[in-house]
């Protein structure tokens, strides 16, 4: 029986602490960690999970952080109260990172780096428990992770029924792996109950009022579902972290629900291209032909797509491009998060041109903006970017249940054979111009290949062209076409998702941000309120910005523009559009590969 290390702790800390699991990449810890977070979620506890994993070599250190917050705060939090050490390569650093009063669960084959008097240590006989389980040798390193699940379940009082349900869900009901892993969990739980004195303060308890009507899901899965349910018919992609799971999700879900009910044939196509350049070429070809076409990639892939995206802009071809942002420049940190591709996506291509950019903040918006992006691309006849990031895309979030899209698809200004006859020239003859602005919004009408009318055909040009798609190098023709494209971009301001504004009466400070920063800003505003600093908040959900952003900036003495990159890229765009109000804008930017924390944001404002 382990001896108590300090006096019994009288005041418990319930549902309000951080768990950090330190393991080695490729050891199978993902299953164990997902069991923990799913069990806590099913107990009704607000949780979020962040996976910090290496980019290349199996065996390198990896960490999985689970934050529990009874108040519903889901941003990254630096403090760690419960550390689970399973990796000798990082054990010293991991143990030192624990908060005073925290606890360390560790494989007893690892040394205790520093016998801190302010930390509780709980050894786990991993090797002995695994040996007693009598599992095949090639599975022992994987099953070993179930030891910390069982010990943590005892110490933290996680309900074992929920652990079992999470295990069943993870293995899809397959009896053999469920039984093998469950035996290890229960053996570890029973050992801990028999041998450990639970004199530490951290506990979990069932809650209500937060998780009901929600999902625990990552943004890439949500975006894949959104694309499937919003009518995509073609996708091309090349594997790249952290976007690959979006395409893989589309492959899985489309195979289940996107088949002809009579023939059972697929009503879509998904192609793994030889590189990102080929992928965007296929997408533009499919979009030109009338398909709802998309790709998913990350920063390096966006760089390769530049020329084709410029072609899509000038030839006016719909396409949706998901950029799950990671840390650059160059190869950068492929498995760390960032918001460093805003300028690159907004201005991608040579010459003058800008692209609509959607900025989801959570998996629900990934689901919803998948459809919105298709509608915008076809309405505006242009490439549209959706900028998620690794934090949203690959980490687990509590998000409200997705609603099936009931709104009809917006295919934009597409003319069929009959509608073409409505276009007449000055002499009453049939006259339709592919790049002719009929309605004054900068958006021309288009036809699709195969339209049964001889007037439907036109040349799709990436070179200078007239309103009727004929070749031209005349300066006035070129300038007129470019001005129409600029006007179309102004039209986009009223079509993209509007910002969400939360204004507080009496506040003199405003905050502008976007995307995955949202949970940290919600918590930071609460912290600032505790310090009697009231703030109003505008979350940009798309570029180009609309008049709501200008109105917000005009109201406040100072505006903090908070983003996860080095150069304050969103702030730079705002300075261009709001140059007369630029003196009010303060760039607050950080770029270290980690999601922003409420503590850091609060410090930036108060200092």
């Amino acid at each position: 029986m382990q001896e108590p290390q300090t006096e019994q702790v009288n005041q418990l800390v319930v549902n309000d602490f951080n768990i950090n699991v330190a393991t080695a990449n490729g050891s199978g810890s993902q299953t164990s960690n997902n069991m923990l977070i799913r069990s806590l979620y099913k107990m009704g506890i607000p949780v979020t999970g962040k996976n910090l994993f290496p980019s290349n070599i199996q065996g390198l250190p990896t960490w999985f952080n689970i934050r529990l917050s009874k108040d519903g705060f889901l941003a990254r939090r630096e403090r760690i109260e419960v550390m689970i050490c399973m990796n000798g390569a990082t054990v010293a650093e991991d143990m030192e990172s624990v908060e005073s009063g925290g606890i360390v669960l560790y494989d007893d084959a690892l040394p205790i780096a520093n016998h801190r008097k302010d930390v509780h240590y709980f050894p786990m006989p991993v090797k002995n428990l695994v040996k007693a389980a009598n599992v095949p040798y090639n599975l022992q390193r994987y099953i070993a992770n179930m030891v910390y699940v069982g010990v943590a379940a005892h110490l933290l009082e996680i309900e074992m029924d929920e652990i079992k349900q999470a295990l069943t869900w993870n293995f899809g009901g397959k009896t053999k792996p469920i039984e093998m892993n469950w035996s290890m969990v229960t053996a570890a739980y029973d050992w801990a109950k028999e041998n450990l004195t639970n004199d530490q303060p951290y506990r979990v308890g069932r809650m209500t009022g937060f998780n009901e009507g929600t999902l625990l899901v990552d943004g890439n899965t949500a975006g894949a579902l959104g694309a499937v349910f919003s009518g995509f018919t073609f996708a091309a992609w090349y594997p790249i972290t952290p976007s690959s799971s979006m395409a893989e999700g589309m492959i899985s879900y489309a195979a289940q629900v996107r088949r002809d009910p009579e023939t059972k044939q697929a009503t879509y196509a998904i192609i793994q291209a030889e590189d990102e350049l080929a992928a965007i070429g296929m997408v533009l070809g499919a979009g030109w032909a009338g398909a709802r076409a998309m790709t998913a990639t990350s920063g390096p892939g966006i760089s390769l797509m530049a020329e084709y995206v410029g072609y899509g802009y000038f030839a006016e071809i719909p396409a949706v491009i998901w950029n799950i942002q990671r840390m650059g420049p160059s190869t950068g940190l492929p498995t760390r998060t960032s918001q460093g591709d805003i300028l690159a996506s907004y201005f991608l291509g040579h010459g003058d041109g800008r692209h609509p950019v959607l900025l989801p903040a959570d998996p629900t918006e990934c689901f919803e903006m998948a459809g919105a992006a298709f509608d915008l691309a076809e309405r505006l006849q242009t490439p549209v970017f959706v900028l998620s990031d690794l934090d949203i895309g690959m980490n687990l979030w509590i998000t409200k249940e997705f609603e099936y899209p009931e709104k009809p698809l917006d295919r934009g200004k597409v003319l069929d054979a009959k509608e073409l006859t409505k276009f007449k020239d000055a002499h009453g003859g049939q006259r339709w111009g592919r790049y002719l602005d009929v309605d004054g919004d900068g958006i021309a009408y288009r036809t699709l290949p195969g339209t049964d009318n001889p007037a439907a055909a036109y040349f799709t040009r990436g070179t200078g062209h007239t309103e009727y798609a004929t070749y031209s190098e005349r300066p006035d023709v070129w300038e007129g076409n470019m001005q129409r494209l600029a006007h179309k971009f102004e039209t986009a301001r009223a079509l993209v998702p509007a910002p969400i504004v939360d204004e507080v009466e009496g506040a003199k400070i405003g905050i502008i941000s976007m995307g995955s920063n949202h949970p940290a800003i919600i918590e930071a505003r609460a912290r600032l309120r505790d310090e009697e600093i009231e703030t109003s908040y505008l979350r940009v959900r798309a570029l180009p910005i609309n008049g709501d952003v200008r109105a917000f900036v005009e109201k406040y003495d100072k505006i903090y523009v908070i983003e996860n990159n080095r150069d304050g890229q969103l702030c730079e765009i705002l300075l261009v559009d709001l140059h007369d109000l630029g003196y009010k804008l303060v760039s607050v930017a950080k770029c270290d590969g980690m999601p922003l924390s409420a503590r850091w944001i609060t410090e930036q404002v108060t200092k």
Side-chain angles (χ1 to χ4, degrees), residues 19-24 27-40 48-52 62-66 84 86 145-146 148-149 163 166 170 216 396:
I19 304 171
N20 202 37
V21 184
T23 58
S27 65
S29 59
Q30 182 176 357
T31 299
S32 306
N33 297 332
N34 283 341
M35 285 171 58
L36 285 175
I37 191 171
R38 188 171 179 83
S39 301
L40 296 167
T48 187
K50 299 196 183 297
N51 192 13
L52 194 65
T62 183
W63 295 267
F64 190 82
N65 185 265
I66 302 173
I84 300 174
M86 298 288 287
N145 291 310
M146 293 298 158
Y148 69 73
V149 174
I163 295 280
N170 185 81
L216 187 66
L396 291 171

Side-chain angles (χ1 to χ4, degrees), residues 316-501:
E316 299 181 67
I317 301 173
V320 171
I321 304 163
W322 281 78
N323 180 356
I324 316 302
Q325 297 170 95
R326 69 189 207 185
M327 181 66 75
S330 187
T331 305
L333 300 174
T335 59
R336 300 293 186 268
T337 197
S338 171
Q339 295 171 329
D341 294 344
I342 303 170
L343 288 171
S345 300
Y346 193 51
F347 292 108
L348 190 67
H350 55 278
D352 293 319
R354 288 174 288 173
H355 312 289
V357 173
L358 306 188
L359 300 164
D362 54 35
T364 295
E365 289 194 338
C366 287
F367 179 84
E368 295 169 348
M369 288 185 179
F374 281 128
D375 286 349
L376 282 167
E378 295 202 283
R379 169 58 55 184
L380 294 166
Q381 300 172 31
T382 196
V384 171
F385 286 86
V386 186
L387 262 62
S388 178
D389 58 38
L390 185 146
D391 188 28
I392 299 174
M394 294 191 71
N395 288 327
L396 291 171
W397 295 86
I398 295 175
T399 188
K400 67 180 182 180
E401 293 179 348
F402 305 144
E403 296 182 5
Y404 187 87
E406 300 290 347
K407 180 183 174 183
L409 305 184
D410 185 352
R411 302 307 307 272
K413 296 182 176 182
V414 179
L415 298 175
D416 60 23
K418 182 179 179 180
E419 290 171 324
L420 271 170
T421 62
K422 299 176 183 178
F423 287 82
K424 306 293 182 180
D425 61 19
H427 305 288
Q430 189 169 331
R431 189 65 163 166
W432 162 70
R434 170 64 184 95
Y435 302 108
L436 183 66
D437 184 5
V438 175
D439 303 318
D441 57 5
I443 306 171
Y445 285 82
R446 65 177 175 137
T447 59
L448 301 180
T451 302
D452 190 14
N453 187 315
Y458 65 93
F459 281 105
T460 304
R461 299 184 184 275
T463 54
H465 48 259
T466 69
E467 294 172 329
Y468 298 96
T470 59
Y471 181 74
S472 175
E473 294 189 11
R474 288 178 51 182
D476 59 325
V477 171
W478 177 271
E479 187 173 30
N481 194 37
M482 291 297 290
Q483 291 300 329
R484 179 183 61 80
L485 289 170
H487 181 51
K488 181 169 74 169
F489 194 74
E490 292 303 309
T491 298
R493 294 184 190 276
L495 298 177
V496 300
I500 293 179
V501 182

Side-chain angles (χ1 to χ4, degrees), residues 241-316:
T241 302
S243 72
S244 295
S245 60
M246 174 172 284
E248 292 161 356
M250 291 176 68
I251 291 169
S252 175
Y253 296 125
Q256 299 175 50
V257 300
R258 292 290 298 279
R259 294 187 178 276
D260 185 280
E262 296 181 1
T263 67
K264 307 304 179 184
Q265 295 296 308
T267 59
Y268 64 93
I270 302 176
I271 298 175
Q272 181 175 325
E274 59 265 38
D275 54 35
E276 291 90 348
L277 188 62
I280 188 61
M282 294 177 190
V283 167
L284 286 169
W288 173 84
R292 292 202 132 187
M294 64 166 285
T295 187
T297 187
S298 193
I302 293 297
S303 299
L304 290 174
M305 295 179 183
E307 186 174 2
Y308 257 131
V309 171
Y311 173 72
Y313 169 81
F314 193 58
E316 299 181 67

Side-chain angles (χ1 to χ4, degrees), residues 221-243:
T221 297
L225 280 168
V228 169
F229 283 98
S230 297
F232 101 95
T233 49
F234 180 81
W237 66 295
Y238 182 77
I240 183 173
T241 302
S243 72

Side-chain angles (χ1 to χ4, degrees), residues 109-232:
L110 304 178
I112 297 179
N114 177 18
H115 288 267
R116 292 171 54 185
K117 302 301 183 183
D118 60 340
V119 172
H120 285 221
Y121 296 92
F122 293 94
M124 301 178 294
V126 176
K127 184 177 180 179
N128 290 340
L129 287 171
V130 170
K131 184 178 180 180
N134 196 30
V135 298
Y137 178 78
N138 63 324
L139 297 178
Q140 288 180 7
R141 67 189 302 242
Y142 302 108
I143 208 76
N145 291 310
M146 293 298 158
V147 172
Y148 69 73
V149 174
V151 175
H154 166 66
L155 291 175
L156 303 179
E157 299 181 358
I158 304 172
E159 295 177 10
M160 288 291 278
D161 286 346
E162 294 296 357
I163 295 280
K164 181 68 176 291
Q165 290 297 320
L167 183 63
T168 302
W169 176 86
N170 185 81
F171 287 106
K174 297 176 183 177
T175 302
K176 189 173 180 179
I178 291 172
E179 289 180 349
M180 182 174 63
N181 284 276
W182 180 242
S183 294
M184 190 75 265
V185 172
T186 54
Y189 180 90
D190 291 342
W191 175 88
K193 188 175 181 180
E194 178 71 22
N195 293 279
L196 298 181
T197 300
N198 198 1
D199 57 347
Q200 56 84 32
Y202 302 102
R203 300 288 193 280
V204 301
R206 185 168 288 276
M207 286 178 58
T208 59
F210 192 90
N211 291 358
E212 292 83 1
T214 66
L215 303 169
L216 187 66
V217 68
D218 63 85
N220 283 357
T221 297
L225 280 168
V228 169
F229 283 98
S230 297
F232 101 95

